[in-house]
Amino acid sequence: MVLLCEKKTEGGNGSRIKISECRSLDFLAVIPSRIEGNPVTELSPYLFSSHQNYEEEKGPLSFWWSESDGRVEEKEALSLPPLKGKLLKELCLPPSLEKVGAYAFYNCENMKKLEVYSTTLDWGTGVFTGCGRIESVTLHVDESRKSCMKEILSELRQTLSVTYLGKQEARLIFSEFFEEAVENTPARILVTNTHGCGKQYRNAFVNTQFQFREYDSLFPYVQVQESEELAARVALGRLLYPCQLSDRYSEMYQSYLREHCVAAACQAINRENGEELRWLTEHISFDSRQMEQVIQAAGEAGATGTVSYLMDQRREKGDIKRRRFQL
């Protein structure tokens, strides 16, 4: 991967780097924190968009750079294809980043994973327009400072799996929501109806700080409005990584999983999430019928290793029950 960098000097603050173009044979872009000892603080407008309708002029201090070779000749850099639009699938942004230009990821419709730091506060207009396939966000959170978490979640309305990395780690699910404007003809007004409880979850903030208790208190809405599978993912994420999880809400999540253990295990199998499946088999009691259903689902999914694991679990727990009966 090579980057077109512009070195900018701002008074007594030293030099900073702005990224104007990215070229690569890969689908993953990792923007470094520093280039030639200077912090990377800005991404240009339309940086990863294939719909750029203007050309930024190169500054006098612009240069092409790669992590492996340092500065590279322009001819060598231009021999690589631009990493834009549908080609970009994963993006990692650095902690030094302060500003993301307008429409920087416009119509990057195949991007699925995003990693960002909460201290990047200046997000331009329409940055995430057309990024409807992002499904996983890793967010490094400095809980002592203003955060961009709420802003990012509000822009991305699809179902998101968020890895929250603050003083503790949390795994959070934010369900999809959409808004529909319906005309009230007699009153001559438009009424906005919100579908899905994802908007309520995205409002679990005080100022810009995420509120775990508020998030947990919304689980009854998920049970009513969302699928068993999504509700199970919410519950498992909080129990596996119980950041600021109270005993009250821990029991609420466990109670749900006891009642919906088969659906919870099946969604873990379908998503190939061995961590969730192991937690379920270790903490939730499956009767023989339920375990048989889960084993059958694993077999239909072609997960032979999972089938073996589940059969071992059934055998071990069956032996324990028999020994207890003999006593």
Side-chain angles (χ1 to χ4, degrees):
M1 182 181 76
V2 295
L3 301 169
L4 179 57
C5 309
E6 182 182 349
K7 193 173 183 180
K8 303 171 72 176
T9 303
E10 299 179 359
N13 295 326
S15 297
R16 299 181 170 204
I17 300 293
K18 176 181 179 180
I19 305 298
S20 300
E21 190 173 346
C22 177
R23 289 177 172 264
S24 178
L25 294 171
D26 202 355
F27 58 81
L28 164 67
V30 180
I31 306 299
S33 288
R34 303 185 79 84
I35 291 177
E36 296 187 343
N38 302 299
V40 176
T41 60
E42 185 176 350
L43 303 184
S44 289
Y46 291 92
L47 173 60
F48 291 104
S49 173
S50 59
H51 297 274
Q52 183 172 341
N53 56 11
Y54 75 100
E55 286 286 338
E56 273 198 318
E57 291 186 10
K58 284 186 184 179
L61 298 178
S62 293
F63 58 93
W64 288 97
W65 179 91
S66 78
E67 189 168 13
S68 57
D69 301 319
R71 292 202 182 198
V72 299
E73 295 293 329
E74 184 173 46
K75 182 178 179 181
E76 181 183 348
L78 295 180
S79 67
L80 294 172
L83 181 55
K84 289 179 176 288
K86 294 181 180 180
L87 297 178
L88 181 66
K89 295 183 181 179
E90 297 183 31
L91 176 62
C92 299
L93 301 179
S96 59
L97 194 66
E98 297 174 0
K99 180 178 180 180
V100 180
Y103 300 101
F105 318 134
Y106 178 61
N107 274 1
C108 290
E109 57 188 64
N110 289 329
M111 182 161 63
K112 292 187 175 182
K113 295 183 179 181
L114 174 68
E115 183 171 356
V116 67
Y117 286 75
S118 67
T119 48
T120 303
L121 299 179
D122 189 348
W123 294 83
T125 303
V127 168
F128 293 107
T129 301
C131 296
R133 293 186 181 177
I134 294 177
E135 57 189 28
S136 173
V137 176
T138 298
L139 190 67
H140 300 263
V141 181
D142 183 342
E143 294 162 347
S144 66
R145 298 173 59 184
K146 188 176 180 181
S147 169
C148 66
M149 180 176 178
K150 183 176 182 180
E151 184 176 358
I152 291 174
L153 293 176
S154 297
E155 291 291 327
L156 298 171
R157 299 186 174 193
Q158 63 268 34
T159 297
L160 294 174
S161 174
V162 175
T163 299
Y164 177 105
L165 300 175
K167 293 178 181 178
Q168 294 178 278
E169 181 175 350
R171 298 290 175 88
L172 308 168
I173 302 296
F174 293 84
S175 59
E176 179 185 18
F177 79 97
F178 67 93
E179 294 175 328
E180 178 185 30
V182 180
E183 183 179 5
N184 185 330
T185 305
R188 296 183 180 179
I189 59 173
L190 286 175
V191 178
T192 301
N193 295 326
T194 301
H195 302 271
C197 55
K199 186 170 184 177
Q200 293 167 282
Y201 269 77
R202 286 163 172 81
N203 286 329
F205 289 84
V206 170
N207 296 322
T208 65
Q209 299 304 313
F210 183 68
Q211 304 296 303
F212 287 94
R213 284 183 179 271
E214 177 68 18
Y215 176 95
D216 293 330
S217 72
L218 295 170
F219 188 62
Y221 294 96
V222 173
Q223 296 180 57
V224 173
Q225 298 182 43
E226 306 293 347
S227 66
E228 271 187 304
E229 290 76 12
L230 191 137
R233 289 179 64 191
V234 172
L236 282 165
R238 292 296 286 132
L239 291 167
L240 279 162
Y241 296 87
C243 175
Q244 299 185 37
L245 180 62
S246 68
D247 291 342
R248 171 192 172 189
Y249 290 125
S250 176
E251 176 54 36
M252 174 187 70
Y253 289 127
Q254 291 184 60
S255 175
Y256 180 84
L257 292 175
R258 284 192 291 268
E259 295 175 9
H260 302 267
C261 58
V262 174
C266 288
Q267 67 80 29
I269 291 168
N270 292 334
R271 292 172 42 248
E272 299 181 353
N273 193 315
E275 184 180 29
E276 290 184 357
L277 186 62
R278 284 192 298 275
W279 190 94
L280 282 165
T281 56
E282 290 170 6
H283 294 86
I284 302 297
S285 178
F286 290 75
D287 62 32
S288 59
R289 180 183 58 82
Q290 291 168 333
M291 183 58 77
E292 190 59 40
Q293 288 178 285
V294 176
I295 291 172
Q296 183 178 347
E300 291 173 353
T304 54
T306 302
V307 170
S308 298
Y309 168 76
L310 291 169
M311 292 181 73
D312 288 342
Q313 288 292 304
R314 181 175 63 179
R315 190 180 309 112
E316 289 175 11
K317 293 185 177 181
D319 289 343
I320 291 171
K321 288 179 180 178
R322 282 193 292 273
R323 287 198 297 272
R324 284 178 178 171
F325 177 76
Q326 289 170 357
L327 290 173

